Amino acid sequence: MATHAHPLLGWSSEAVVLDCDGTLMDSERHWQVARNRAFREFGLTPPPGFADRAKGVYYADCGRLMAEETHKPELADDLARCLLEHFLSLVADDPATMPGAVEFVRILAGRLPLAVASNCPREVVEESLSRAGLLRHFAHVVVPTQVPGSSVLRAVPDGSDPAVPEAVRPKPWPDVYATAARLCGTEPERALAVEDSLTGIEAARRAGLRVLGVGPRPSREDASRADLWVTALHSPELLAWARQQGPRQTGTPTT
């Protein structure tokens, strides 16, 4: 379907909530390298197709998945810690934005409230966006509050968002998107989520947001989970939509 004819591009949003890894920042490749390094460190071989199953999965859950699929459940916590350590090292050395991300965010920043909803640790999201010059455009950054390797949830301090609830579960739970929409001052059905992973799309849909999928187009069935799919954020039709959004009516982003 041609994007210029799609109903989503005739709709006015009240807020936009974006994923970070693979949507704003080109860091999904770092997760893939980090997973492979963690497997090797423990003498394990990645199961066939594991990269696709792990895309967008919270790192603590990914550690458990790595352990389960290699029949080493006792290594779940160690694999999660190892995975995060390798990822933090990689992203610190090579932060890069996805095609069109900077332009898309800068256009929307003067028009709508913006938030980030990510499965990554807060320090990774904020440092990556800061180094890319994008953090100042976002009023809120919402991340899971799950303790790695545990089902227990705790509050993670966030000086800019005291209203973030103590229990925010990772995607595919809807919590990060539902919370981000509320912090932006709108109902979820009036907000747009921008996602590259099926895990994130499921979370956004469960929260009630409309969803824009971005990146290499998946199968027809998977692509249909989003309201619209574009290959990159610098799609001319998408940038035109962004420019048509109304001027900001609430709040000013904080750094």
Side-chain angles (χ1 to χ4, degrees), residues 54-71:
K55 186 175 182 180
V57 176
Y58 184 53
Y59 77 94
D61 293 332
C62 187
R64 286 191 287 274
L65 187 63
M66 294 167 73
E68 290 169 3
E69 292 205 12
T70 54
H71 310 291

Side-chain angles (χ1 to χ4, degrees), residues 233-250:
L233 292 175
H234 54 39
S235 158
E237 295 86 356
L238 183 59
L239 295 181
W241 173 86
R243 293 187 180 97
Q244 292 168 1
Q245 299 307 294
R248 182 188 305 281
Q249 299 295 321
T250 59

